[in-house]
Amino acid sequence: MKIIIAEYPETADRDLSIEKSVFPKDAELALAVYTEETEDEFIETCRDADAVLVGYVGISRKIIDGLEKCKVISVQATGWNYVDSEYAREKGIAVCAIGEYCTQEVADHTIMLMLALLKGLKTYERSVQTDKEWIYNAKPGLKRIEGLKMGIAGYGKIGKAVAKRAKSFGMEILAYDPYIPDHVIRQMGAEPVTMDGLLEQSDVITNHMNLTAENQGMFNLETFKKMKKNPILLNVARGGAVNEEDLVYALDHGMVSGAGLDVLSSETPDMDTCPLVGRENVIITPHSAFYSTTTEYLLYKIPAENVLRCLEGNYKEANRVVNGVGLD
């Protein structure tokens, strides 16, 4: 049993002890470093692997074609948009993801970003720590949070967890989710709205949708123009949901009053050139919303267990097979 763990150079030295605790002692675990320049070498390393464990390295058709023995690609995340899962299905390779492991952490992180922006934390921090000032209204125009409307795009586990927390501050909850009937959304404590309704009515808009072809770049200049209340925008889901060039324009022209971003369009962004860096009304965290010692353990344990179940032929016992291979 040969298992390849795919990593970028930045994480190539990470500890593999959690994965090793899951697999049999005679299993061969090897870490393969991926860069665009060394893609062919990466493919060659993976050629005789029975399974590939992947964090955020993209698994393209070219790579899949090189996986001559692979039975399963197991993603160390809840999202799998960077793996060509349909092509893997054609090749008979199961693609697994994690059903749930970090709902609490991501919901907490979302509320943290919201509060920091609504309460002007960066301004006050700069005023006190850098400017050595003691000015209570250094950030003028702050709104009372109670009574504000939060619009949640994607009302799944995380969306509902965010709503629960926001309600404790007295916020009203609007929810857009085309996959959940309106009466079910109401039963879950939110008012169902169309996407346009969410854009027009919300003081805070937070994205918790899985990234699909339909919502790629959904938050763009067209949608920003519909945000009548100049809301803050939070994105702790997938960076591809936001057109960053259009967001910069929206921030510069007051269509959006602030942004809290845990994800960007790239998983390896250049912080020296990113136009969203250095703005007092933008908070960026490095895709860390999921992180705690608990989730770090589950992040590596569950995908390894998914590999083991699939290689044993027990696909239905895997945590989540997202492309249907082995479930018939």
Side-chain angles (χ1 to χ4, degrees):
M1 182 185 297
K2 182 176 180 179
I3 315 298
I4 292 294
I5 299 172
E7 293 286 353
Y8 285 115
E10 295 83 356
T11 52
D13 60 347
R14 74 170 181 84
D15 181 25
L16 303 181
S17 59
I18 296 173
E19 288 92 340
K20 289 178 180 177
S21 71
V22 172
F23 294 112
K25 290 184 179 180
D26 61 350
E28 178 185 350
L29 270 67
L31 195 146
V33 178
Y34 175 88
T35 65
E36 289 184 6
E37 293 76 17
T38 61
E39 183 178 56
D40 290 340
E41 296 175 27
F42 175 82
I43 293 172
E44 192 60 36
T45 302
C46 298
R47 192 170 299 281
D48 62 344
D50 297 292
V52 175
L53 277 162
V54 57
Y56 296 104
V57 172
I59 303 296
S60 64
R61 287 189 170 216
K62 179 180 178 181
I63 293 175
I64 291 171
D65 280 336
L67 301 176
E68 296 179 354
K69 292 180 59 182
C70 188
K71 296 293 187 294
V72 55
I73 299 169
S74 187
V75 182
Q76 295 164 323
T78 55
W80 64 93
N81 54 288
Y82 39 86
V83 176
D84 194 329
S85 57
E86 284 305 303
Y87 190 61
R89 182 178 58 80
E90 293 177 20
K91 295 288 188 176
I93 301 173
V95 175
C96 297
I98 305 174
E100 193 281 330
Y101 76 109
C102 61
T103 294
Q104 296 91 331
E105 284 81 3
V106 174
D108 292 344
H109 198 93
T110 302
I111 297 299
M112 176 194 73
L113 293 173
M114 179 190 77
L115 292 175
L117 288 164
L118 288 177
K119 300 299 290 182
L121 182 61
K122 287 185 73 172
T123 300
Y124 285 115
E125 175 74 0
R126 174 190 51 76
S127 178
V128 172
Q129 299 287 356
T130 303
D131 300 339
K132 309 301 181 183
E133 297 174 335
W134 194 258
I135 304 173
Y136 78 89
N137 62 348
K139 178 68 174 178
L142 296 180
K143 298 178 181 179
R144 175 176 287 183
I145 295 174
E146 183 177 14
L148 295 182
K149 291 183 178 180
M150 171 182 276
I152 301 176
Y155 206 57
K157 291 185 181 72
I158 293 174
K160 292 195 291 289
V162 170
K164 178 181 178 180
R165 288 156 173 77
K167 284 182 181 180
S168 70
F169 290 93
M171 300 184 78
E172 298 180 34
I173 307 300
L174 309 176
Y176 165 76
D177 196 317
Y179 300 101
I180 303 177
D182 286 358
H183 74 277
V184 176
I185 290 177
R186 290 191 179 94
Q187 290 171 1
M188 295 188 293
E191 181 61 27
V193 290
T194 63
M195 190 61 183
D196 281 353
L198 183 140
L199 297 171
E200 293 169 2
Q201 299 177 49
S202 301
D203 300 287
V204 177
I205 295 175
T206 181
N207 175 43
H208 300 288
M209 297 183 290
N210 287 325
L211 189 64
T212 65
E214 289 73 28
N215 60 34
Q216 176 81 33
M218 174 178 280
F219 293 96
N220 54 34
L221 189 56
E222 181 181 350
T223 51
F224 292 139
K225 287 179 178 179
K226 296 178 181 179
M227 296 180 179
K228 294 184 178 180
K229 301 176 81 171
N230 310 113
I232 66 168
L233 175 68
L234 308 174
N235 186 23
V236 292
R238 289 290 177 262
V242 177
N243 183 308
E244 290 173 11
E245 182 178 345
D246 289 356
L247 176 58
V248 168
Y249 184 92
L251 288 162
D252 288 343
H253 291 81
M255 300 174 189
V256 176
S257 61
L261 309 170
D262 186 54
V263 285
L264 296 174
S265 58
S266 170
E267 281 296 336
T268 55
D270 184 348
M271 293 290 93
D272 290 327
T273 60
C274 178
L276 292 164
V277 169
R279 295 170 177 260
E280 202 152 278
N281 61 344
V282 176
I283 299 175
I284 303 173
T285 51
H287 205 156
S288 59
F290 76 94
Y291 178 71
S292 72
T293 54
T294 300
T295 58
E296 186 176 43
Y297 173 73
L298 295 174
L299 179 65
Y300 298 132
K301 180 176 181 286
I302 294 172
E305 290 176 338
N306 283 342
V307 166
L308 194 59
R309 300 292 177 267
C310 291
L311 291 182
E312 292 171 342
N314 299 319
Y315 293 89
K316 293 181 180 179
E317 295 181 14
N319 187 262
R320 191 180 187 193
V321 178
V322 299
N323 67 345
V325 172
L327 299 182
D328 295 336

